[in-house]
Amino acid sequence: MTLLKRTILTVFILFIVVCVGLVLGISMSQTKELEDIAVEPPKKPIILITVDSLMAEPLQKAIGEGKAPAFSFLINNGQLYTDVVSSYPTMSVTIDSTILTGVYPNEHKVPGLIWFHENENRVISYGSGVSEIWNLGVKNVALDSVVQLNKEHLSQNIKTIHEELAIRNLQSASINGLIYRGSHPHKLHVPKLISIANLLPKEIEMNGPTLLSLGTLSQYNPENDRNKFIWDRLGGNNNFTVNELSYLIEQNKLPSFTLAYLPDADATIHKNGPTDLKGIEKADKALQELLNSYSSWEEAVQEVTWIVLGDSGQSFINKDKETSLINLNELLPNYTFWERENEDGQLAIAINERMAYIYVKYNQVKLSELVTILKEDERIGFIAWKDEQTNHVVSTQSDEELTFSPNGSYVDIYNQSWQLDGDLSLLDLKINEQGVIHYNNYPDALARLNGALHSQEGNVIIVDAKPSYEFIEKHSHDHAGGGAHGSLHKVDSVVPLIIVGTNKSPQSNRLVDLKEWILQLLGDS
């Protein structure tokens, strides 16, 4: 389930339980007047489209079978990169934060879809499974995902691409993106049934880009109401995104930069596994509609720079739940766990599908004892933790430890310097004759793992599963027999990137480098 769908689910879950007639309140949301917004036509606008869980191999298969003509057209008229490295954990909220800020979680401070807030002594969730949402409190999850994520949790010390563009007097838009902080004030209009139940206030004031569209909470196209019913995930769908973006194009209101999110593929891949092509076919139809907004597809790529990318891959999860699901409650039976009814638990667990954070809340719990227990499970690829500025990694595959920290004598292929000591095989690292670090099964492993370890305070252990396995706790929704992501492994971390309309390319094959590259493109236009 995508971040957008989880957030929509969170906002409306109480009414699914209490009132089947929720749809009556949805149709009452307000349409914003696009005519009142002055948008200066840019020389050549950029549209960045994120296709949730788009992966290179099934994409190429779909193209080969003639099921993805729009993708094929874009690739044939542009550049295709099949091995672009995502953020970590490979969960939409963290990845989107990295794309918009150009930094990893140690700087943007959004650790994952689920994480533990030490100062508030509670688990933060931006929407996950129904049991998890209920356990954490529907109102808490609604406020965190709709309000706090952009207002408080995303670091104020780092500017988003929307904020950077505003400084440069360039306009931007976000359509169905959950990370959207900018410099322009907006009001999100909450359906009446939601505000009556006191889940969210009637109106929410947020800062976003020049144009902000977010499902039932904010829209411009007056014809888009038909895509906001409960069975259409209240606007958290491809059709809503396409109709909003097409409307901007048709009304000549396309700003310098637009980020649009196509969420539908993620759900089918979670259900059917990473070889499923239905989500790609749906995304291709969405792209066809967007290209059809112009007199010809050729004109579309002449008038606009198109960037189409995936955010994460997915690993197939074995059907046998006894072996494929790593239950951390059962793996650590001698400890107590944080819950709303037991806030004094010794440990707090934040499951991000194929990775998890384990928080040690009290000094009497020895971190070394936990690591020893976790190391016995061969389904765990590695275990990591930090000690001041040094990061530690262990695994069942070795009796040795790997330690690393930034600013050392070794330089990796991304020109990042590191201090390294111990067993390099734990993260599948290789150092060539020139002393350059190369990555294999864990792309950009040092920077991404360092980013996750230093994304929050406190004693935190990261556990990362091998392919085909997933973490759970007592309230988790699992994906046995389908697909899941979250891990550092390349199966979750490598995505395709299509660039059409410019011969220039990012500094490296990493999503973290997109922001600076896009700013350069707009600066040159």
Side-chain angles (χ1 to χ4, degrees), residues 172-201:
S172 62
S174 176
I175 302 174
N176 268 347
L178 262 293
I179 306 293
Y180 55 77
R181 195 183 71 205
S183 303
H184 298 268
H186 292 270
K187 287 184 179 180
L188 303 182
H189 298 285
V190 177
K192 288 184 178 180
L193 290 176
I194 304 304
S195 57
I196 290 172
N198 198 32
L199 275 185
L200 290 169

Side-chain angles (χ1 to χ4, degrees), residues 81 84-85 413-414 497 505-514:
Y81 301 86
V84 176
V85 182
I413 58 173
Y414 303 111
L497 168 66
S505 57
Q507 177 182 340
S508 71
N509 63 331
R510 303 184 302 171
L511 295 184
V512 72
D513 293 317
L514 289 185

